[in-house]
Amino acid sequence: LATDVQRWALAQGVAYLNDIQGFADAAFYPELAKASAKLIVMHSVQARGKATRVDVPPSQVMDRIRRFFESRIAGLTKAGVDRTRLILDPGMGFFLGSDPQTSLTVLRALPALKAEFALPLLVSVSRKSFLRAIVGRKAGEAGAASLTAELYAVLQGADFVRPHDPAALKDAVAVWREISGRKA
């Protein structure tokens, strides 16, 4: 069970705990409240249970994500989890559906999510199926598409990005900062 692994990880003193279903088990919230780890609350259209493909039209995805985060944040904070420990991940690729436009809609809306919830955002787009569908490449050949989407996420306010090639992203951000004159 996911909570058994999470419980073990917390006992090891992990700094971050990521749940791809956004901590769906409310019975586990009191234990999360006692811990100190940052909690990455990831949205997925399945919300709970075995991952299945659920197609959400691009026009509906942001409302679903907002409702998901409102519910999870309320439940976690009510159980005593300090809001400052939360990091939001809107999910990407098949966590949103098979239509590439759904993930692109979410990437474009990152500034609105950040403004609405006033919490750090984590984005993971590296090698995702929606990017591969756009460029017609296999996962191992999607480096340029991944880097482009990762840099875009950073420019849209993502606080954390989970890449397959961290050095490339670090270099891209460094060059962008020099070109733009921005240091932060």
Side-chain angles (χ1 to χ4, degrees):
L1 294 171
T3 53
D4 292 337
V5 173
Q6 292 173 347
R7 190 173 286 116
W8 177 86
L10 291 174
Q12 305 311 304
V14 296
Y16 293 84
L17 191 61
N18 185 19
D19 188 321
I20 64 168
Q21 295 181 348
F23 301 99
D25 184 2
F28 191 54
Y29 290 4
E31 290 178 68
L32 293 173
K34 292 177 188 171
S36 61
K38 298 272 188 179
L39 305 177
I40 301 168
V41 182
M42 184 179 148
H43 163 267
S44 71
V45 293
Q46 298 86 13
R48 189 173 192 137
K50 186 178 177 184
T52 57
R53 289 190 182 173
V54 177
D55 283 318
V56 177
S59 62
Q60 297 175 13
V61 71
M62 291 311 300
D63 286 338
R64 286 182 70 133
I65 289 172
R66 284 183 182 96
R67 285 192 309 270
F68 180 90
F69 284 146
E70 286 168 357
S71 173
R72 289 298 200 269
I73 292 168
L76 288 161
T77 57
K78 183 178 179 184
V81 174
D82 190 307
R83 186 177 166 85
T84 62
R85 292 178 45 213
L86 302 179
I87 299 168
L88 305 181
D89 178 349
M92 287 287 153
F94 283 126
F95 289 104
L96 298 176
S98 58
D99 181 350
Q101 289 303 315
T102 304
S103 290
L104 296 174
T105 296
V106 173
L107 278 173
R108 289 181 199 112
L110 291 177
L113 274 178
K114 190 165 182 157
E116 183 172 344
F117 292 103
L119 288 169
L121 296 178
L122 180 143
V123 175
S124 178
V125 292
S126 184
R127 301 181 185 173
K128 294 286 187 182
S129 58
F130 79 97
L131 295 174
R132 296 191 325 264
I134 293 168
V135 298
R137 303 248 183 220
K138 296 177 184 173
E141 300 170 345
S146 295
L147 181 58
T148 302
E150 291 163 354
L151 185 57
Y152 182 82
V154 170
L155 297 177
Q156 294 302 304
D159 301 280
F160 301 92
V161 176
R162 190 173 39 222
H164 281 91
D165 189 348
L169 179 59
K170 180 181 176 189
D171 291 351
V173 170
V175 169
W176 173 79
R177 286 183 174 154
E178 283 299 318
I179 292 169
S180 69
R182 289 181 158 174
K183 298 298 177 191

